[in-house]
Amino acid sequence: MEEEFALVIGDKAWSSWSLRPWLAAKVAGIAFREVPVRLRQPDTAAQIAQHSPSQHIPVLKRGGFAVWDSLAICEYLAELAPEARLWPEDAGARAVARAISAEMHAGFQALRAEFSMDFHARIGGRIPSEQTRADIRRVVQIWCEARQNFGAGGPFLFGAFTIADAMYAPVATRFRTYGLDLAAFGDTGAAAAYTQAILGLPQMQEWGEGAAR
Ligand SMILES: N[C@@H](CCC(=O)N[C@@H](CS)C(=O)NCC(=O)O)C(=O)O
């Protein structure tokens, strides 16, 4: 497909919000131009301000408009490439996929703050706070229920890859980075297997190569 837009993203090691739409676009086979912005630099805010009206990245830029939010970008990608089925086909499954994507987008603040994404780091021994423990239990519950109720057609939450997987992909990297044993959070095996399915995606490996650079 012809290159249609630019996606402004942060450092691949750290920018979990950037990973979500980047991964959805890659899995959907949508071509785009990557515009990297270095985070944690003295001029980071000025660099982001050149691209993003919200002062946050990711931001998708195309012609006369910008889309500055990860979930809104994913929705746009789903409309650009309907054949990629970035949302589940069944209306009920699609509604659940939207609910769990929105829950990720709006929640899990403790997990995100205490166990931030650091793609290639391996950090043992960090003890989660009670709020983070609750967040991890909830993620495990969401993953196990989706796999059980909707996952028969493939290894992802709704079988085939959807935006819900893109939204939770950074969490899978955190579980690996911090060596969290999901069995201690109610997993009977489905969440650990799902983590491996996400991390095994070739597009996740491509992101990882960028993070290593
Ligand atoms: N709700 C936004 C959150 C985006 C966000 O917080 N992005 C971070 C980077 S991952 C950011 O731009 N931080 C600004 C900074 O570091 O100066 C989304 O879903 O896209």
XYZ file of all heavy atoms in Angstrom, residues 10 14-18 20 39-40 44-45 48 55-58 68-71 73 105 167, ligand 1:
216
model
N 7.616 8.096 20.039
C 8.727 8.282 20.968
C 9.706 7.122 20.892
O 9.574 6.213 20.065
N 10.840 2.950 25.398
C 10.008 3.445 26.497
C 8.586 3.821 26.130
O 7.713 3.881 27.006
C 10.635 4.723 27.099
C 12.024 4.580 27.563
C 12.544 3.516 28.282
C 13.100 5.508 27.373
N 13.873 3.746 28.534
C 14.237 4.964 27.991
C 13.193 6.752 26.750
C 15.467 5.613 28.004
C 14.405 7.405 26.758
C 15.534 6.838 27.374
N 8.349 4.155 24.853
C 7.084 4.826 24.540
C 5.959 3.816 24.300
O 5.648 3.448 23.171
C 7.241 5.754 23.334
O 6.057 6.523 23.185
N 5.343 3.431 25.400
C 4.301 2.400 25.312
C 3.093 2.901 24.517
O 2.484 2.146 23.760
C 3.869 1.968 26.708
O 3.368 3.069 27.430
N 2.764 4.185 24.646
C 1.604 4.682 23.890
C 1.897 4.678 22.398
O 1.001 4.471 21.577
C 1.194 6.075 24.366
C 0.604 6.055 25.733
C 1.151 6.577 26.870
C -0.628 5.433 26.143
N 0.340 6.323 27.942
C -0.759 5.637 27.536
C -1.625 4.733 25.479
C -1.845 5.168 28.268
C -2.714 4.254 26.205
C -2.807 4.480 27.580
N 3.165 4.905 22.026
C 3.526 4.881 20.598
C 3.441 3.474 20.025
O 3.067 3.290 18.861
C 4.951 5.410 20.404
O 5.074 6.732 20.844
N 1.392 1.142 20.578
C 0.037 0.622 20.286
C -0.392 0.874 18.834
O -0.644 -0.087 18.099
C -0.942 1.192 21.311
C -0.655 0.658 22.725
C -1.453 1.366 23.808
N -1.345 0.665 25.076
C -0.672 1.107 26.140
N -0.038 2.273 26.092
N -0.624 0.397 27.250
N 12.584 11.073 23.597
C 12.012 11.432 24.890
C 13.148 11.698 25.888
O 14.297 11.351 25.640
C 11.123 10.303 25.413
C 9.915 9.928 24.533
C 9.218 8.686 25.083
C 8.935 11.083 24.436
N 12.806 12.304 27.011
C 13.744 12.514 28.125
C 14.975 13.337 27.714
O 16.079 13.105 28.203
C 14.184 11.170 28.739
C 12.992 10.288 29.128
C 13.428 8.985 29.761
N 12.300 8.077 29.939
C 12.388 6.829 30.410
N 13.562 6.354 30.766
N 11.314 6.078 30.544
N 12.739 17.780 24.355
C 11.645 16.863 24.019
C 10.311 17.608 23.893
O 9.576 17.419 22.914
C 11.532 15.745 25.069
O 12.686 14.905 24.963
C 10.296 14.890 24.839
N 9.999 18.451 24.861
C 8.704 19.146 24.836
C 8.592 20.016 23.583
O 7.536 20.047 22.925
C 8.531 19.986 26.094
N 7.995 17.721 20.563
C 6.617 17.212 20.510
C 5.665 18.323 20.094
O 4.744 18.115 19.293
C 6.212 16.607 21.881
C 7.018 15.327 22.150
C 4.719 16.304 21.911
C 6.751 14.682 23.505
N 0.428 18.007 23.062
C 1.751 17.879 23.705
C 2.081 16.429 24.053
O 2.917 16.165 24.919
C 1.842 18.737 24.989
C 1.615 20.203 24.771
C 2.764 20.846 23.986
O 3.892 20.407 24.035
N 2.432 21.876 23.219
N 1.388 15.496 23.436
C 1.689 14.084 23.666
C 1.888 13.387 22.335
O 1.336 13.792 21.307
C 0.544 13.390 24.415
C 0.440 13.786 25.851
N 1.450 13.591 26.755
C -0.561 14.372 26.539
C 1.078 14.038 27.940
N -0.140 14.525 27.840
N 2.670 12.333 22.364
C 2.781 11.432 21.235
C 2.276 10.057 21.682
O 2.290 9.786 22.892
C 4.228 11.360 20.695
C 5.218 11.204 21.853
C 4.549 12.558 19.865
C 6.648 11.088 21.392
N 1.807 9.239 20.779
C 1.888 9.319 19.333
C 0.919 10.349 18.744
O -0.086 10.684 19.360
C 1.483 7.915 18.894
C 0.492 7.481 19.942
C 1.068 8.038 21.226
N -4.138 12.802 17.655
C -3.107 12.829 18.685
C -3.357 11.857 19.842
O -2.827 12.046 20.919
C -2.967 14.243 19.259
C -4.267 14.772 19.794
C -4.772 14.562 21.047
C -5.220 15.558 19.089
N -5.984 15.170 21.166
C -6.289 15.798 19.978
C -5.275 16.084 17.799
C -7.410 16.539 19.598
C -6.387 16.816 17.435
C -7.429 17.045 18.328
N -4.072 10.812 19.611
C -4.337 9.899 20.716
C -4.265 8.464 20.204
O -4.779 8.164 19.128
C -5.729 10.187 21.285
C -6.068 9.223 22.397
O -5.726 9.512 23.545
O -6.650 8.168 22.089
N -3.646 7.587 21.003
C -3.369 6.224 20.537
C -4.634 5.485 20.112
O -4.665 4.844 19.053
C -2.647 5.436 21.633
O -3.434 5.378 22.810
N -5.686 5.583 20.916
C -6.897 4.817 20.593
C -7.622 5.423 19.381
O -8.125 4.690 18.524
C -7.814 4.754 21.820
C -8.967 3.752 21.793
C -8.537 2.355 21.376
C -9.647 3.696 23.168
N -6.143 6.956 16.958
C -5.344 6.558 15.786
C -5.700 5.126 15.391
O -5.902 4.825 14.211
C -3.831 6.695 16.081
C -3.455 8.146 16.344
C -3.019 6.139 14.904
C -2.040 8.337 16.907
N -6.865 2.142 28.151
C -6.568 3.530 27.800
C -6.764 4.453 28.991
O -6.001 5.405 29.188
C -7.496 3.918 26.645
C -7.187 5.211 26.005
N -7.956 6.313 26.170
C -6.175 5.587 25.174
C -7.434 7.316 25.474
N -6.359 6.892 24.864
N -3.498 -2.604 22.313
C -3.596 -1.813 23.544
C -2.877 -2.488 24.719
O -2.355 -1.805 25.604
C -5.056 -1.548 23.904
C -5.797 -0.638 22.928
S -5.007 0.964 22.649
C -5.309 1.802 24.216
N -3.659 9.323 26.100
C -2.482 9.492 25.256
C -1.232 9.356 26.115
C 0.021 9.675 25.363
C 1.248 9.882 26.240
O 1.173 10.022 27.481
N 2.418 9.921 25.594
C 3.689 10.186 26.264
C 4.794 9.331 25.672
S 4.503 7.607 25.776
C 4.114 11.621 26.007
O 3.839 12.157 24.949
N 4.777 12.253 26.960
C 5.221 13.607 26.791
C 6.616 13.802 27.278
O 7.250 12.798 27.633
O 7.073 14.940 27.276
C -2.556 8.462 24.141
O -3.309 7.483 24.282
O -1.925 8.628 23.090
